[in-house]
């Protein structure tokens, strides 16, 4: 049994808490919202996971010190845009013998940094890692079999996380490719958003498959240029996560893209979905990184123009289809 602190009580944070408590761990869950705290502690429910029951092994608090005190593993699970500010609020309670694992997926838009880089800037002496893979919160909270990857330079961190998670319902692989695992997770959200647009435009399975496949090529191009291992992008945290995010009704990124394809504004999509849409928050970052590393990313460029330059999605598709022909 491990003592686990989870920072963030949204769907993914709550799902991880439910799973880990059911797997015999002691879980403390931090929330910024008093009503969420009450719902979890008294009703044993998370508003984002209506089918799941929160076990007694999960205790929610709005006090960082209470949540972090004595924890062996800290899982950070907030939207990417809140990562740095949240760490600043709790870092005084983190000790060098604790493991900090980033479970959020995305970039810091102000700096274009990966979340791993943000962690290291704020907590340079703490051993850090990334947890990622094809995993919808709704399914993890219901004990549907799932495979994830924990990436870190620290073997002790990886061993500790695997020990907390392993069961017949959860299989964990380990990796040293922190950069590759993180970039696959962040970039696949953008391609899933694009796949959703193709669905909203009613373009069919052929288009969907072509977009997802060529999107993976773009992910691998930028990921390797930024120091990731190409093999990583064709594993669970690249291809696997891309499949589940592009194809599932649970995916906020896909759902947001569908709405754009149907003619809605991004503001309407945000309101309808009601939760953070990481792809929208990070498309401009991917666009800037592609320019910085001189990487060809036509799909990312096209969706950037749709969101920021008013390009019609149908025209964007035509532009992609009429680019100069080349070998695959």
């Amino acid at each position: 049994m491990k003592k686990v602190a989870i920072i963030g009580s949204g769907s993914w944070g709550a799902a991880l808490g439910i799973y880990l408590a059911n797997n015999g761990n002691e879980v403390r869950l931090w929330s910024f919202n008093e009503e969420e705290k009450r719902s979890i502690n008294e009703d044993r429910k998370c508003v984002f996971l209506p089918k799941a029951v929160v076990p007694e092994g999960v205790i929610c608090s709005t006090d960082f010190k209470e949540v972090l005190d004595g924890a062996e593993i800290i899982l950070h699970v907030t939207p990417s845009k809140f990562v740095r500010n949240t760490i600043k609020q709790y870092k005084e309670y983190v000790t060098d013998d604790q493991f900090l694992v980033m479970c959020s997926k995305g970039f810091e838009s102000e700096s274009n940094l990966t979340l791993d880089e943000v962690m290291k800037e704020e907590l340079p002496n703490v051993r850090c890692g990334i947890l990622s893979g094809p995993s919808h919160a709704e399914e993890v909270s219901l004990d549907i079999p799932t495979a994830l990857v924990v990436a870190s330079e620290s073997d002790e961190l990886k061993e500790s996380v695997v020990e907390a998670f392993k069961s017949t319902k959860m299989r964990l692989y380990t990796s040293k490719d922190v950069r590759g695992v993180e970039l696959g997770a962040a970039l696949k959200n953008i391609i899933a958003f694009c796949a959703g647009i193709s669905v909203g435009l009613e373009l069919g399975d052929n288009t969907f498959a072509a977009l997802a496949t060529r999107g993976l090529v773009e992910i691998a191009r930028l990921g390797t240029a930024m120091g990731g291992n190409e093999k990583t992008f064709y594993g669970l945290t690249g291809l696997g996560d891309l499949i589940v995010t592009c194809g599932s009704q649970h995916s906020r990124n896909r759902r947001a893209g569908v709405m754009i394809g149907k003619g809605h504004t991004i503001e309407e999509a945000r309101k309808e979905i009601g939760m953070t849409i990481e792809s929208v928050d990070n498309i401009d970052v991917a666009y800037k990184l592609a320019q910085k590393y001189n990487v060809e990313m036509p799909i990312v460029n096209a969706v950037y123009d749709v969101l920021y330059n008013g390009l019609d999605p149908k025209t964007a598709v035509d532009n992609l289809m009429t680019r100069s022909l080349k070998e695959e």
Side-chain angles (χ1 to χ4, degrees):
M1 182 183 80
K2 301 287 184 181
K3 292 184 178 180
V4 183
I6 300 177
I7 305 299
S9 60
S11 59
W12 189 218
L16 289 171
I18 291 168
Y19 169 77
L20 286 167
N22 284 334
N23 204 37
N25 299 283
E26 181 182 323
V27 177
R28 297 291 183 271
L29 180 65
W30 175 83
S31 176
F32 74 93
N33 187 294
E34 287 287 346
E35 178 53 32
E36 284 184 13
K37 169 186 168 182
R38 187 208 63 78
S39 178
I40 289 170
N41 289 340
E42 297 179 18
D43 301 334
R44 313 313 299 176
K45 296 294 291 182
C46 171
V47 65
F48 304 113
L49 302 169
K51 294 182 180 180
V53 176
V54 180
E56 296 296 328
V58 176
I59 296 175
C60 188
S61 172
T62 54
D63 186 317
F64 282 118
K65 186 176 187 302
E66 180 182 349
V67 170
L68 293 169
D69 187 39
E72 299 163 75
I73 300 168
I74 304 167
L75 304 181
H76 186 114
V77 200
T78 68
S80 58
K81 60 186 176 183
F82 300 132
V83 165
R84 187 184 295 273
N85 184 56
T86 306
I87 292 177
K88 284 182 180 293
Q89 294 179 63
Y90 70 70
K91 66 180 183 179
E92 65 180 291
Y93 306 117
V94 179
T95 60
D96 292 352
D97 62 342
Q98 293 175 309
F99 299 126
L100 177 60
V101 182
M102 183 59 61
C103 304
S104 307
K105 300 176 180 181
F107 299 94
E108 183 178 63
S109 58
E110 296 82 4
S111 63
N112 299 335
L113 294 176
T114 65
L115 301 184
D116 172 66
E117 290 172 319
V118 173
M119 281 194 296
K120 289 178 178 177
E121 282 191 355
E122 294 297 331
L123 289 162
N125 298 320
V126 175
R127 287 168 290 181
C128 299
I130 302 292
L131 182 70
S132 188
S135 50
H136 286 306
E138 295 84 353
E139 296 187 4
V140 170
S141 70
L142 298 175
D143 266 351
I144 292 175
T146 301
L148 298 176
V149 176
V150 57
S152 177
E153 296 172 359
S154 167
D155 290 336
E156 287 182 279
L157 181 150
K158 289 181 287 191
E159 290 169 7
S160 185
V161 172
V162 168
E163 185 65 27
F165 274 85
K166 66 179 181 181
S167 75
T168 59
K169 303 300 182 183
M170 183 74 74
R171 180 175 177 84
L172 254 67
Y173 292 83
T174 61
S175 173
K176 293 183 179 179
D177 185 15
V178 175
R179 179 56 56 88
V181 167
E182 184 166 34
L183 288 172
L187 295 169
K188 59 86 186 178
N189 286 328
I190 298 169
I191 303 305
F193 179 78
C194 297
I197 293 176
S198 78
V199 173
L201 291 172
E202 300 182 351
L203 295 178
D205 295 340
N206 293 353
T207 310
F208 185 92
L211 192 143
T213 305
R214 296 307 301 175
L216 181 60
V217 171
E218 295 191 17
I219 291 171
R221 278 181 189 154
L222 181 58
T224 53
M226 292 180 65
N229 186 326
E230 185 176 15
K231 181 180 177 181
T232 300
F233 301 104
Y234 296 94
L236 283 169
T237 59
L239 175 59
D241 211 353
L242 183 67
I243 290 171
V244 79
T245 311
C246 283
S248 174
Q249 61 181 340
H250 297 309
S251 170
R252 290 173 244 165
N253 297 289
R254 173 189 156 117
R255 285 161 51 202
V258 170
M259 292 189 69
I260 299 302
K262 289 182 176 180
H264 294 277
T265 66
I266 198 61
E267 289 75 20
E268 290 171 335
R270 290 184 192 275
K271 183 177 180 180
E272 172 67 22
I273 291 170
M275 292 184 282
T276 298
I277 307 168
E278 289 286 4
S279 57
V280 175
D281 292 337
N282 287 289
I283 284 170
D284 63 324
V285 177
Y287 177 81
K288 292 172 183 175
L289 289 173
Q291 292 182 316
K292 176 180 178 180
Y293 288 92
N294 194 30
V295 173
E296 186 180 23
M297 300 185 77
I299 296 173
V300 169
N301 292 343
V303 73
Y304 178 88
D305 284 339
V306 168
L307 286 188
Y308 294 100
N309 294 325
L311 181 66
D312 179 73
K314 292 181 180 178
T315 303
V317 173
D318 290 342
N319 291 345
L320 287 169
M321 292 298 292
T322 53
R323 293 175 64 247
S324 60
L325 303 179
K326 59 183 69 178
E327 281 191 19
E328 189 183 38

